[in-house]
Amino acid sequence: MSDMRLVVAGAAGRMGRMLVQAVNQTPGMVLGGALERKGSNACGQDAGELAGVGKLGVAITDDPLEALVKADGVIDFTSPGATTDLAAIVAQARIVHVIGTTGLSADDLAKIDAAGRHAIIVRSGNMSLGVNLLAGLVRRAAKTLGVEYDIEIVEMHHRMKVDAPSGTALLLGEAAAEGRNIKLADHSARGRDGITGARREGDIGFASLRGGTVIGDHTVTFAGPAERIELSHRAEDRTLFARGAVRAALWGRGRKPGVYSMADVLGLNDE
């Protein structure tokens, strides 16, 4: 099989440049295109030079059709609006779409699910191996422990992050909800201020901290009678997300259309 030709969306951004580096370093794939927002100053620049890996002969463009014309897949860590627009185009191309974008609304997710009828979509709030293993542990703990164990999720990120709770925190919350066979939307406590009353039994609480240059810290606490269980993950290098994304793209090649998760990629749903 020939090398997988991948397009990096948001190629001029910090994460996009890391993705270009990861694609360039991964056997079995080549950079087939680089995409940026309309009117970006990066358009026309060589994506490899911008990413610090040398000239690759791939100019950044703001035209998705131009970028995707010969692509086998797209890796996308952009914004909700850009991701859903791209998902519709990828569905027409019937290729792989790896989505690491966070802050997606219910309407955004519905559009992505619709695109998954034709495209191979791998979507996750976090692409790292460690976080997805953590989610499995959270699911198991939530299933084992009763509702007398309150679940609280605390996350901290750098000061520039624009969405809260983080996509990873929501991923962990969904894992806890699945473990308890409940819907997160019906049992989610997002903000506490003033006289809030007693904690509602069965809720999954979220707290978001922002400051400095923190890449991503997440802790899930199960607070029960006379004891607490804490499960944590700390990201120390953003390249782990890029490595996970290129692994997801290779995994998705040749799969049937559908919406998959990193748990599928890592075989964590094979139990």
Side-chain angles (χ1 to χ4, degrees), residues 36-59:
E36 260 299 337
R37 66 186 183 281
K38 204 74 175 175
S40 170
N41 292 332
C43 290
Q45 295 186 51
D46 187 279
E49 288 186 327
L50 194 59
V53 297
K55 194 167 185 176
L56 296 177
V58 177

Side-chain angles (χ1 to χ4, degrees), residues 236-247:
E236 298 176 351
D237 189 332
R238 285 184 177 82
T239 58
L240 65 92
F241 308 130
R243 291 195 300 270
V246 296
R247 179 170 176 173

Side-chain angles (χ1 to χ4, degrees), residues 89-103:
I89 299 171
V90 172
Q92 295 178 39
R94 298 175 184 265
I95 56 177
V96 177
H97 191 181
V98 177
I99 299 175
T101 303
T102 60

Side-chain angles (χ1 to χ4, degrees), residues 126-134 233 240 244 247 262 266 268:
N126 193 300
M127 294 286 173
S128 83
L129 170 63
V131 161
N132 285 280
L133 287 173
L134 174 62
H233 179 272
L240 65 92
R247 179 170 176 173
M262 279 302 288
L266 299 172
L268 300 177

Side-chain angles (χ1 to χ4, degrees), residues 143-241:
K143 182 177 181 180
T144 302
L145 301 172
V147 292
E148 65 270 22
Y149 283 78
D150 300 318
I151 302 175
E152 292 287 327
I153 301 172
V154 179
E155 54 99 348
M156 184 169 184
H157 284 81
H158 54 89
R159 65 175 64 198
M160 301 303 292
K161 187 168 177 61
V162 298
D163 59 304
S166 69
T168 303
L170 293 172
L171 181 153
L172 296 171
E174 289 288 359
E178 288 170 11
R180 291 206 167 156
N181 198 27
I182 59 176
K183 291 185 177 180
L184 181 61
D186 298 333
H187 296 272
S188 180
R190 299 289 182 89
R192 300 186 179 108
D193 188 18
I195 301 173
T196 61
R199 190 186 198 283
R200 192 175 67 169
E201 185 177 77
D203 271 357
I204 297 171
F206 293 85
S208 298
L209 311 180
R210 297 288 178 267
T213 58
V214 178
I215 293 175
D217 294 351
H218 295 83
T219 297
V220 182
T221 299
F222 294 84
E227 66 176 353
R228 290 194 307 276
I229 302 165
E230 295 182 349
L231 302 173
S232 297
H233 179 272
R234 289 176 174 81
E236 298 176 351
D237 189 332
R238 285 184 177 82
T239 58
L240 65 92
F241 308 130

Side-chain angles (χ1 to χ4, degrees), residues 101-126:
T101 303
T102 60
L104 297 163
S105 67
D107 184 55
D108 295 330
L109 294 174
K111 291 177 181 177
I112 290 169
D113 287 343
R117 291 198 286 267
H118 304 289
I120 304 94
I121 296 175
V122 181
R123 186 188 69 81
S124 179
N126 193 300

